[in-house]
Amino acid sequence: MPVARREAEVIWKGPLARGTGALTSASGALDALAVTWASRTERPGGKTSPEELIAGAHASCFAMALALVLGENDSPPERLTVTAACTLDEVDGAPRITTVELTVEAEVPGLDASALEQLVGTAAELCPVSNALRGNVEITVRSELAASAAANA
């Protein structure tokens, strides 16, 4: 039996360039989020895109994986800020998600930058979203200690 299974649904109306979709999740957390081709490739205008959703999923999953790894290292974080940038590009004439860039700022008392980098690497191997994307999307991770944590290390 799986650990978790979550569902989402999109109802799309019209052709790609002028059509619109509404994304809804079974949990209700994503309540009728508007999606359009224009929000994906131009200005979002208050609408989301698959790339933004992947960035959100990756950032939240990576934060959880890193919190787990830090806790197992007896250095639980006070705060983690994980930012993900997911890039849609044209490859061989077709749109393709090519990269996800993760940036981690960690406030972890007593931890130095070298230890953080090592633990971030462990989290990268553990993160289910990283593992789902690996091999298809270039993933980079940059990490740094928050100023207050770096002063205490």
Side-chain angles (χ1 to χ4, degrees):
M1 178 173 250
V3 173
R5 180 181 169 164
R6 301 292 182 256
E7 295 181 11
E9 175 182 80
V10 170
I11 296 175
W12 185 271
K13 296 179 180 178
L16 178 61
R18 293 185 318 275
T20 60
L23 169 73
T24 305
S25 64
S27 70
L30 306 175
D31 189 21
L33 295 177
V35 294
T36 65
W37 180 251
S39 67
R40 190 174 194 184
T41 59
E42 299 168 16
R43 296 191 184 265
K47 298 172 182 75
T48 194
S49 69
E51 292 72 32
E52 184 175 58
L53 295 167
I54 287 172
H58 204 171
S60 59
C61 188
F62 198 90
M64 290 182 207
L66 183 54
L68 173 67
V69 169
L70 288 165
E72 289 176 343
N73 188 62
D74 294 324
S75 53
E78 286 188 8
R79 180 184 175 107
L80 296 173
T81 303
V82 180
T83 305
C86 180
T87 301
L88 178 69
D89 209 345
E90 189 171 309
V91 177
D92 298 328
R96 182 175 172 95
I97 294 171
T98 56
T99 63
V100 175
E101 300 167 34
L102 295 168
T103 303
V104 177
E105 182 181 49
E107 190 174 328
V108 186
L111 196 70
D112 65 26
S114 175
L116 175 63
E117 187 174 329
Q118 182 180 20
L119 294 168
V120 163
T122 301
E125 293 299 317
L126 179 64
C127 174
V129 173
S130 292
N131 288 328
L133 296 173
R134 190 175 290 114
N136 293 305
V137 175
E138 179 185 341
I139 301 168
T140 60
V141 184
R142 185 175 59 81
S143 63
E144 64 181 27
L145 288 170
S148 62
N152 297 328

